[in-house]
Amino acid sequence: DFNVGVCLDTCHAWAAGEDLAEAVEILRSLTGRVDLVHCNDSRDPHNSRRDRHTNLGSGEIPTELILEVVRAADTDVVVETPDGDEGGGQKADIAWLRAKL
């Protein structure tokens, strides 16, 4: 009734111990939608309860899981790793996604 969008953050889900392979399907079954993906890798292991973003392909989330979420969601994607990080920030992450997808 409030027209609230649903955003899936790959790092948040990973840190919470969620199964990324099923994350889009689970969210859609609960909310009927996924409107945006915050696409980030994680500095920390699965189920660590630590939300520490890092550049795509340089963290703990397997590459194929990240790409599977983006493909399954089939919606807009935002990368959040700040520019100036060792990995090159958002520009590097956008290039990484374009090359892999």
Side-chain angles (χ1 to χ4, degrees), residues 7-13 20 36-42 51-57 61-71 73 75-82 89-90 92-94 96-98 100-101:
C7 176
L8 170 58
D9 187 301
T10 55
C11 187
H12 293 193
L20 282 181
L36 182 68
V37 173
H38 282 182
C39 190
N40 308 287
D41 211 327
S42 175
D51 174 33
R52 303 291 182 262
H53 298 177
T54 193
N55 287 101
L56 297 171
I61 304 176
T63 295
E64 194 49 46
L65 277 178
I66 292 171
L67 297 174
E68 190 173 330
V69 167
V70 171
R71 288 183 187 118
T75 192
D76 294 332
V77 175
V78 173
V79 295
E80 298 181 296
T81 307
Q90 295 171 350
D93 284 348
I94 292 167
W96 186 91
L97 274 174
R98 286 183 174 157
K100 300 286 185 190
L101 294 173

Side-chain angles (χ1 to χ4, degrees), residues 83-94:
D83 288 332
D85 283 2
E86 290 178 24
Q90 295 171 350
K91 186 175 182 178
D93 284 348
I94 292 167

